[in-house]
Amino acid sequence: MDEAGTSNIFYVPTPSLPSITPPDSYDRFRSQSVPLIIDNGSSNLRFGFSTSASPQSSPNVIAKYKERKFNQSLLLFGDAIDTESGAKSQGKTPWEGDVLLNFDAMEHALDYAFVRLGIDAEGIDHPVLMTERLCSPLHSRALTSELMFEQYSVPSLTYCVDSVMSFYHNNKPISGSTFSADGLVVSFNTASTSVIPILNGKGVLSHAKRIPWGTQQSTEYLLKLIQLKYSSFPTRVTSVQASWMLHNFCSFATDYPAVLRSLKIPANMRAAERIIQFPFTIPVVEEKTEEELTRIAEKRKEQGKKLQELAAKSRMEKLAKKETDLQYLTSLKEGKSENKREWMHVLQVEGFDDDAALDETIRKLEVDVKRARKKDPDGQDDVIFPVPQLDEEGIKEKKKQKLMKAGFDARARARREKEKEREEKEAEDRREEGERENNFDDWAARLRREQETIMTKIKERGRRKAALSDRKSAAAQARMKNIASLAADERVSKKKRKAGAEDMFGADDEDWQIYRKLNAAAVSSDEEEEFNQLRIIESKLLMYDPTFTAQHTHASITSQRSALISAFRPLYEEGDIEGSARIHLNTERWRVCETYFSPGMAGVDSAGLGEVLQSILARFTEAEKARLVKNVFITGGPSQFPGLQERLYGTLRPILPPEMHLGDIVRAADPSLDAWKGMASFANTDEFHQVGVTAEEYQEWGPERIKRWWGGNCNSAV
């Protein structure tokens, strides 16, 4: 590629080993009852005391791994899993999609958090504020409450919804006043996307909705698109690398169809692409000395000589076998019995139906033996004229005469055939001219149909050639099956063996199609004929049809498609190791993010974000709707993708009355940490101590009950 095409190359980051951080000191929090804040996310676990400025964070994944060197069982959490290559496949998270289910992993994650915080007491003597999913199942809540109260002996436990707390942090009330903000919260999570309307500082969770599409599904979708586009990529593209590409190169399109239309121009697609360079290793070419090259050449020469000797030996063995068979069948014929029934029985035992079959077999064997004996070293048969009375000079003269006569006859036959073809062509031209003059529309339509048919055949042939280049494709596997079928060592019947194993391949014209299937790269005579016929049809249309221009020709269409395909996935020269380790992202940059608004593109039967917003707003009065859309708030990792605010504005504006004011789409100041910070701010207020479930209430109500408050779920609340 040229220098202009390599200016937007980005290199896949190399993962670095995590550093060992000692646990924090617990002395200043001992016996203080400072609230403990835990943001239990699907991707990251964030934890810390409410008086801390920022939380500690680690990937929310564990792995049980047996170290082979010292034969020890290890329990790894978070970044530590990356230090052991064998532990990555054993990774397990507390979440199954958007539901908390794996509580052994949850317990290990909480153990890690409390150890990092330096808590060395027998129990956790701090009130806990913890996140749970919107409309969390009671089963998940019950097991979490049981774990916190029974295992860790917390004095009180409060659940909240992370997106509401992020909204609270970005719309905090003045000190001393109650939280009464209005807004429409759109939260982009790992395994889902939720929309929560908030009026007077309280989440209207009865009208909240959630779609089953999040960062995890987007990453998997991008990975599938890359695998489909680069089916034979030299290295394995991991989910971590796909997630890095998603967060750094994908964006939302304000008008997705318009973006696709603009990318139909190859220059625009090249300008919009991002080239991802994966690690590669240049193979070391071992240079051989002159003596080694000479020794290799001599070795090859010796091997070739041995192969020639083996081939000669094989030919002699076959000749001896045929002579033996011929001698046996000749003696069998000479010893023919006069008893017809007895003779027919002998023939049937030997595999012959009658005397004619025996005579035919003997004749073929005589011809084969004579040909093998007369064959010269170059493999050409000597021409033998049955004229014993001529001397050597006479035989040469007779051969010359026969060749001259054969040449004369061939030239005469060619002249007759050419004259016949010329007459047929003139008749065809007259017939076509009459059809064109009498009914021009039908004539032009027929030629266009013929052009389309030939172009379809050429396109299918090209698609098959491309499929054969991939050894995993169905066409390549079918080719290998044909080769294996031809190479199969099938046993020859006794009758065919005595007849010299005559091969009838080629008697049917369809037999020769096998070579086209095996060697698809070779240009067949049919392909050349189709190209010639296509040029003739297009020249006639260009001459007589004013609506048919040069842009409609096969060459023009192919060049346009080739330029677009080349821009979509550029091909590098064979042997270019660096180029073959590159991924070109172009349409995928917008296609992946578009699935938030059209999950059906990825095969998910769900409404998109635009439909969900319209459905939620339709449940409120005009006055309430106006209060909601004045403050549209987005949070979560994907809220940082470029173009999301403009896309949401373009989605909401058409579904609102023209006179209704639509405020700016506000993004969280820190989409990843604002939920934890909002929880920490709320935990330092007096209201926090009124909404938690104490240990006594847990014993009385059971693990599923919670207190109803503006930041938590409402299912099974009192």
Side-chain angles (χ1 to χ4, degrees):
M1 298 181 65
D2 54 10
E3 295 182 0
T6 59
S7 59
N8 56 349
I9 296 179
F10 300 87
Y11 293 85
V12 175
T14 304
S16 57
L17 295 177
S19 58
I20 299 177
T21 305
D24 296 344
S25 175
Y26 183 57
D27 294 338
R28 62 193 182 101
F29 299 107
R30 197 182 303 273
S31 302
Q32 295 297 319
S33 296
V34 178
L36 184 59
I37 312 301
I38 301 176
D39 183 4
N40 183 25
S42 301
S43 300
N44 289 277
L45 178 69
R46 303 177 183 90
F47 51 90
F49 292 101
S50 63
T51 56
S52 302
S54 60
Q56 298 188 43
S57 178
S58 181
N60 198 357
V61 58
I62 70 161
K64 294 180 180 180
Y65 174 68
K66 190 169 186 179
E67 201 271 333
R68 295 182 179 179
K69 186 175 181 181
F70 299 102
N71 198 24
Q72 293 180 348
S73 297
L74 303 177
L75 181 62
L76 305 177
F77 181 81
D79 295 328
I81 296 177
D82 296 332
T83 61
E84 296 287 349
S85 58
K88 294 180 180 179
S89 60
Q90 306 295 328
K92 184 179 181 181
T93 69
W95 297 86
E96 293 290 343
D98 213 32
V99 181
L100 186 62
L101 288 178
N102 301 323
F103 284 90
D104 55 343
M106 185 72 245
E107 182 178 353
H108 293 313
L110 292 174
D111 288 342
Y112 171 83
F114 299 148
V115 169
R116 285 292 305 273
L117 293 174
I119 300 177
D120 52 5
E122 293 183 359
I124 307 301
D125 193 19
H126 298 271
V128 175
L129 176 59
M130 192 174 185
T131 58
E132 66 174 358
R133 282 291 176 268
L134 176 66
C135 301
S136 178
L138 298 181
H139 172 74
S140 299
R141 180 189 298 164
L143 291 180
T144 306
S145 299
E146 183 178 340
L147 182 65
M148 298 300 293
F149 283 109
E150 303 290 346
Q151 178 70 18
Y152 299 108
S153 302
V154 298
S156 68
L157 177 63
T158 306
Y159 291 106
C160 64
V161 179
D162 54 354
S163 55
V164 177
M165 301 313 296
S166 179
F167 180 78
Y168 170 79
H169 178 70
N170 287 267
N171 297 270
K172 281 193 297 186
I174 303 174
S175 179
S177 60
T178 58
F179 178 58
S180 59
D182 301 327
L184 190 63
V185 179
V186 183
S187 177
F188 296 86
N189 301 318
T190 300
S192 65
T193 301
S194 56
V195 181
I196 303 175
I198 297 178
L199 289 174
N200 298 321
K202 297 180 180 180
V204 188
L205 299 186
S206 59
H207 293 352
K209 289 187 179 296
R210 180 175 60 191
I211 60 175
W213 189 265
T215 313
Q216 178 182 347
Q217 290 82 0
S218 299
T219 302
E220 293 175 356
Y221 185 53
L222 176 59
L223 185 59
K224 290 179 181 179
L225 291 177
I226 292 174
Q227 291 171 345
L228 182 64
K229 188 174 181 179
Y230 295 90
S231 56
S232 56
F233 197 65
T235 60
R236 177 175 174 267
V237 183
T238 64
S239 298
V240 176
Q241 294 167 339
S243 178
W244 172 77
M245 287 186 276
L246 173 68
H247 286 84
N248 287 274
F249 306 110
C250 293
S251 60
F252 287 88
T254 306
D255 188 351
Y256 180 66
V259 170
L260 291 185
R261 285 192 295 269
S262 67
L263 294 180
K264 287 176 63 177
I265 303 174
N268 293 346
M269 183 172 289
R270 291 193 186 94
E273 73 177 358
R274 297 294 182 266
I275 304 174
I276 315 301
Q277 180 68 64
F278 279 73
F280 62 93
T281 303
I282 299 178
V284 179
V285 180
E286 184 178 353
E287 297 183 359
K288 294 181 173 59
T289 61
E290 194 76 23
E291 297 178 356
E292 291 176 338
L293 293 174
T294 305
R295 187 163 57 251
I296 292 173
E298 292 177 354
K299 187 176 180 180
R300 288 178 180 173
K301 190 179 295 183
E302 292 177 0
Q303 291 175 347
K305 188 176 180 181
K306 289 181 180 179
L307 289 175
Q308 290 178 353
E309 293 175 355
L310 291 174
K313 183 180 179 181
S314 177
R315 287 197 300 269
M316 294 301 296
E317 290 176 352
K318 289 181 179 179
L319 176 60
K321 184 179 182 303
K322 289 183 179 180
E323 289 177 343
T324 303
D325 292 343
L326 178 61
Q327 185 179 359
Y328 173 77
L329 293 178
T330 304
S331 62
L332 179 67
K333 182 178 180 181
E334 291 174 353
K336 179 179 179 181
S337 175
E338 295 181 358
N339 189 336
K340 187 174 182 181
R341 179 177 297 179
E342 183 180 349
W343 174 243
M344 291 302 297
H345 177 70
V346 172
L347 290 179
Q348 291 177 358
V349 170
E350 295 297 332
F352 300 103
D353 296 333
D354 50 19
D355 290 342
L358 176 62
D359 294 339
E360 180 67 17
T361 303
I362 293 175
R363 187 187 65 79
K364 289 182 179 180
L365 283 174
E366 288 176 347
V367 172
D368 291 342
V369 171
K370 187 176 181 181
R371 183 177 300 166
R373 287 175 177 172
K374 291 290 183 179
K375 200 172 183 69
D376 60 6
D378 295 331
Q380 299 294 331
D381 294 341
D382 293 334
V383 181
I384 301 174
F385 297 91
V387 190
Q389 66 272 19
L390 296 178
D391 57 4
E392 186 176 353
E393 292 296 331
I395 292 175
K396 290 183 178 179
E397 184 64 26
K398 189 169 183 64
K399 185 196 298 186
K400 182 178 179 181
Q401 292 174 2
K402 285 190 174 184
L403 290 174
M404 292 176 63
K405 184 176 183 305
F408 177 80
D409 293 342
R411 287 191 294 272
R413 187 165 54 252
R415 283 195 298 269
R416 288 194 300 270
E417 291 178 355
K418 186 177 293 186
E419 183 66 22
K420 184 178 179 182
E421 289 179 0
R422 186 181 61 80
E423 293 176 356
E424 291 177 353
K425 186 176 183 305
E426 290 178 354
E428 178 66 21
D429 291 342
R430 287 194 298 269
R431 185 191 64 78
E432 186 173 352
E433 184 178 358
E435 181 183 358
R436 184 176 65 249
E437 292 177 353
N438 296 330
N439 197 340
F440 177 80
D441 294 338
D442 292 347
W443 174 83
R446 179 177 61 82
L447 288 188
R448 291 206 178 205
R449 285 195 301 270
E450 292 178 0
Q451 182 208 22
E452 187 66 28
T453 302
I454 297 175
M455 287 170 57
T456 302
K457 290 181 180 179
I458 295 173
K459 184 178 179 181
E460 290 295 331
R461 188 180 293 111
R463 186 180 292 114
R464 174 174 173 79
K465 289 181 180 179
L468 287 175
S469 62
D470 181 10
R471 61 184 180 86
K472 296 182 180 180
S473 64
Q477 293 178 2
R479 178 176 179 270
M480 293 305 299
K481 287 182 180 179
N482 290 329
I483 294 175
S485 176
L486 290 176
D489 186 14
E490 299 180 356
R491 296 185 60 85
V492 183
S493 65
K494 184 177 180 181
K495 180 178 178 181
K496 289 188 176 182
R497 186 165 61 250
K498 289 187 176 296
E502 182 184 5
D503 189 2
M504 297 303 294
F505 179 84
D508 190 354
D509 292 339
E510 294 183 358
D511 294 343
W512 302 100
Q513 294 293 334
I514 189 66
Y515 291 111
R516 295 181 182 175
K517 294 180 180 179
L518 297 182
N519 188 13
V523 179
S524 64
S525 58
D526 293 343
E527 188 174 356
E528 294 179 355
E529 184 179 350
E530 287 173 357
F531 276 111
N532 293 332
Q533 187 177 358
L534 184 62
R535 282 192 290 269
I536 294 173
I537 292 175
E538 291 178 346
S539 63
K540 291 179 181 178
L541 288 172
L542 287 172
M543 183 179 299
Y544 298 106
D545 190 354
T547 62
F548 188 87
T549 63
Q551 295 181 353
H552 298 92
T553 61
H554 175 258
S556 177
I557 296 173
T558 304
S559 62
Q560 294 174 6
R561 291 177 180 172
S562 300
L564 186 60
I565 293 174
S566 178
F568 178 69
R569 184 193 171 182
L571 297 178
Y572 293 86
E573 296 180 359
E574 188 175 357
D576 188 351
I577 307 298
E578 183 180 7
S580 63
R582 288 177 178 173
I583 287 179
H584 291 252
L585 294 179
N586 31 60
T587 58
E588 299 86 3
R589 295 181 56 203
W590 294 275
R591 182 175 180 176
V592 174
C593 292
E594 184 64 20
T595 52
Y596 280 95
F597 292 87
S598 300
M601 293 173 54
V604 177
D605 187 13
S606 171
L609 191 54
E611 298 175 69
V612 169
L613 289 170
Q614 185 176 10
S615 174
I616 291 175
L617 292 175
R619 299 184 176 210
F620 293 93
T621 64
E622 293 298 316
E624 292 173 337
K625 188 186 303 184
R627 291 164 57 188
L628 290 173
V629 298
K630 282 183 181 179
N631 186 13
V632 180
F633 178 78
I634 58 176
T635 185
S639 66
Q640 303 175 78
F641 290 174
L644 175 58
Q645 292 169 288
E646 294 79 4
R647 178 60 187 273
L648 275 177
Y649 189 92
T651 302
L652 286 170
R653 184 67 272 177
I655 64 178
L656 298 176
E659 66 277 4
M660 185 175 292
H661 173 68
L662 175 61
D664 295 334
I665 311 297
V666 180
R667 180 189 293 122
D670 189 344
S672 299
L673 299 180
D674 276 1
W676 188 93
K677 292 179 179 179
M679 294 165 64
S681 300
F682 174 73
N684 293 326
T685 63
D686 296 334
E687 185 181 1
F688 168 70
H689 300 284
Q690 302 172 7
V691 297
V693 176
T694 64
E696 293 78 11
E697 292 170 335
Y698 164 77
Q699 296 293 337
E700 180 183 354
W701 296 343
E704 297 178 354
R705 291 290 184 179
I706 58 174
K707 291 184 179 180
R708 187 186 301 272
W709 67 290
W710 57 265
N713 280 307
C714 60
N715 54 336
S716 190
V718 295

